[in-house]
Amino acid sequence: MESGYVTTPFGRRPMSLGMLASQQLTETIEPGMKRSKWKLFRAICEARPALGVTDRALTVLDALLTFYPDDEISEEKGLIVFPSNAQLSLRARGMTPATLRRHLAVLVEAGLILRRDSPNGKRYARRDRAGAIGEAFGFSVAPLLARAVEIESLAAQAVADRELLRVTRERLTVCRRDISKLIAAALEEGISGDWEGISAMFRALLARIPRVATAEDLTPLLDEMGLLRAEIVNMLERRIKAKKLDANESQIEHHKQNSNPDSINELEPSFETKQGEKAAADNDPNAGPSDERRLKQQKPSGGMSNRAGGAADPGAGASLKSFPLGLVLQACPSILDYGPSGTIGNWRDLMSAAVVVRSMLGVSPSAYEEACSGMGPENAATVIACILERGGHINSPGGYLRDLTRRTERGEFAIGPMLMALVRANGPTARHAS
């Protein structure tokens, strides 16, 4: 039983399983199927890398399609073209015969055309008395029609990939510019921070950009640069808020000193309240408002003395931005084992897991509370996850956490570089939240 029409090449050219598969594929063409030959050719040009053909081979295919009599390829109009080498060479921009044969072989190997060789290897067609072609020998474009849907899908994917690469390149360029100018602004303003380390990290990221890059190459670099930019902006914003806080405190202090023009400190600088005088004033029915003012002015202000003594503002760390939960779990997959039911789906789960890990690591409740106050609860849980991930590299987790909390309050600590280092260390093996 025959499995369909099979033809082998003329002369010394060998037969291959790929050629046989291409011939079998042509028998799957649906009845009535049609495609514009030039639209299909443009799709092949878009999908050229995926199809494994060269630009010179496409020049030959372009020349072959000019010999097809209609704009639409269909079985009803025939699928074989039979130009001579001389005519094909002219339409292929004067390509030499040897080069022409080589690129024809590339098209056959890629499964875009088939050879229908005659008994003597010549290309020709037999016509009936009415002039219609009865049998033809040459090159069949049937694989183009059989693979039309596949080719169009590959072309659409190629266009999408190219657009993604363009957008990724643009975002990377903007991110590089932002980081460079933000670092320059920080150095110009004399803002405290490890700007040398940040600059070195930035240069290392730039060095990893390949000359010829795909979107897959640039996407992780863009993520890391975006993380670095966010951390720089975070540091600068904390500095801006600290300046505003200092300015507000200075204005409040100035207002307290000068808002009362009849201040007893200014009118009677030698006045001193003696012990028991307040009680006497309270019991004296003739005591006037000026006496009450004098007593109030002699009472020390607990809130101001605490601040003057250097106590940390409980809300100082509230401006420290937290990073995406997915990024934290990518950098610190070990924390997943301590979440509810062995998984972490939101920040509440992460903070619950951090409490368990905190106790396991021997971090005191007070140290963790200070971290939550100074960094914010999300960032404190993130730091606990990082400490867990680093394992035996930290001798005293509690002391390390307290040190990071103090550095955060001074604006000297950034979580971003720690997360980036762990992301790179874990690589593609890191687990993600379910």
Side-chain angles (χ1 to χ4, degrees):
M1 179 178 177
E2 294 185 355
S3 59
Y5 180 75
V6 177
T7 180
T8 57
F10 172 79
R12 293 180 295 178
R13 288 191 297 268
M15 183 67 178
S16 67
L17 292 179
M19 293 169 62
L20 182 60
S22 297
Q23 292 180 26
Q24 291 176 339
L25 182 64
T26 60
E27 298 185 11
T28 64
I29 298 175
E30 298 179 1
M33 186 175 183
K34 297 179 180 180
R35 284 295 189 277
S36 168
K37 63 181 181 182
W38 297 123
K39 288 183 179 179
L40 195 54
F41 178 73
R42 283 194 292 271
I44 293 171
C45 292
E46 293 283 2
R48 180 176 66 82
L51 293 172
V53 292
T54 63
D55 53 349
R56 298 294 300 278
L58 291 182
T59 300
V60 176
L61 180 60
D62 181 25
L64 278 175
L65 290 176
T66 63
F67 290 98
Y68 192 82
D70 295 304
D71 286 338
E72 286 190 335
I73 302 175
S74 65
E75 286 190 297
E76 290 78 8
K77 302 294 179 62
L79 297 172
I80 296 178
V81 293
F82 40 90
S84 66
N85 281 343
Q87 290 298 318
L88 187 57
S89 176
L90 286 175
R91 297 198 187 182
R93 290 133 178 98
M95 191 176 292
T96 62
T99 304
L100 194 65
R101 288 192 297 271
R102 186 167 67 252
H103 292 303
L104 283 169
V106 171
L107 293 173
V108 172
E109 186 68 25
L112 297 178
I113 62 172
L114 285 175
R115 293 183 184 273
R116 296 293 189 189
D117 288 347
S118 65
N120 60 3
K122 301 295 184 181
R123 302 182 200 127
Y124 59 87
R126 290 197 179 97
R127 299 177 184 271
D128 57 20
R129 292 183 178 182
I133 297 177
E135 188 175 17
F137 299 97
F139 297 104
S140 172
V141 294
L144 298 182
L145 199 58
R147 300 179 64 186
V149 175
E150 175 196 355
I151 291 170
E152 290 163 353
S153 176
L154 290 174
Q157 185 61 47
V159 172
D161 290 345
R162 187 170 63 244
E163 179 64 16
L164 177 61
L165 178 60
R166 183 189 66 80
V167 171
T168 305
R169 283 185 178 276
E170 289 179 353
R171 291 177 179 174
L172 188 63
T173 299
V174 172
C175 194
R176 290 172 59 181
R177 181 186 67 199
D178 292 347
I179 292 174
S180 178
K181 294 198 173 185
L182 287 172
I183 292 175
L187 294 175
E188 182 71 21
E189 297 289 337
I191 296 175
S192 61
D194 185 15
W195 299 111
E196 289 187 7
I198 292 175
S199 299
M201 189 179 300
F202 180 47
R203 289 192 298 270
L205 289 174
L206 294 179
R208 289 167 50 194
I209 300 177
R211 287 181 176 270
V212 180
T214 63
E216 290 76 14
D217 296 329
L218 297 181
T219 299
L221 289 172
L222 178 60
D223 291 341
E224 292 188 38
M225 281 200 182
L227 186 61
L228 183 60
R229 177 177 59 184
E231 192 59 44
I232 294 172
V233 171
N234 193 13
M235 294 172 67
L236 297 180
E237 286 180 348
R238 289 205 307 271
R239 178 61 176 171
I240 292 172
K241 290 179 180 180
K243 284 185 176 181
K244 288 182 179 179
L245 182 62
D246 292 343
N248 290 340
E249 288 180 354
S250 176
Q251 291 176 2
I252 292 171
E253 188 70 26
H254 182 72
H255 176 74
K256 285 186 176 181
Q257 290 177 358
N258 299 322
S259 60
N260 186 0
D262 297 328
S263 171
I264 198 67
N265 287 334
E266 293 178 3
L267 297 178
E268 301 180 32
S270 61
F271 179 82
E272 294 182 1
T273 303
K274 297 181 180 179
Q275 187 175 7
E277 188 170 340
K278 181 178 185 300
D282 289 339
N283 295 325
D284 186 1
N286 297 320
S290 60
D291 298 316
E292 293 181 3
R293 269 202 309 271
R294 283 195 297 268
L295 291 172
K296 288 181 180 179
Q297 288 199 338
Q298 295 302 317
K299 183 179 180 180
S301 175
M304 294 302 293
S305 63
N306 287 341
R307 180 161 297 186
D313 184 1
S319 63
L320 188 64
K321 296 179 180 177
S322 59
F323 291 94
L325 178 62
L327 178 63
V328 175
L329 298 179
Q330 182 183 359
C332 310
S334 298
I335 195 74
L336 289 168
D337 295 331
Y338 300 91
S341 302
T343 184
I344 293 176
N346 51 51
W347 280 108
R348 184 181 297 275
D349 291 346
L350 179 64
M351 288 186 281
S352 298
V355 172
V356 176
V357 172
R358 186 272 306 166
S359 176
M360 183 188 72
L361 294 176
V363 177
S364 66
S366 61
Y368 188 62
E369 288 175 5
E370 289 176 7
C372 290
S373 176
M375 303 179 184
E378 292 88 354
N379 289 308
T382 300
V383 171
I384 288 292
C386 291
I387 294 175
L388 174 66
E389 196 66 30
R390 294 183 64 182
H393 297 287
I394 299 174
N395 294 327
S396 174
Y400 183 64
L401 182 62
R402 288 186 186 275
D403 179 63
L404 294 184
T405 303
R406 289 192 294 269
R407 290 169 58 190
T408 299
E409 292 169 351
R410 297 195 301 266
E412 298 175 356
F413 171 64
I415 299 178
M418 180 185 293
L419 284 176
M420 289 165 61
L422 290 174
V423 168
R424 288 194 296 268
N426 287 326
T429 60
R431 293 176 292 171
H432 297 274
S434 58

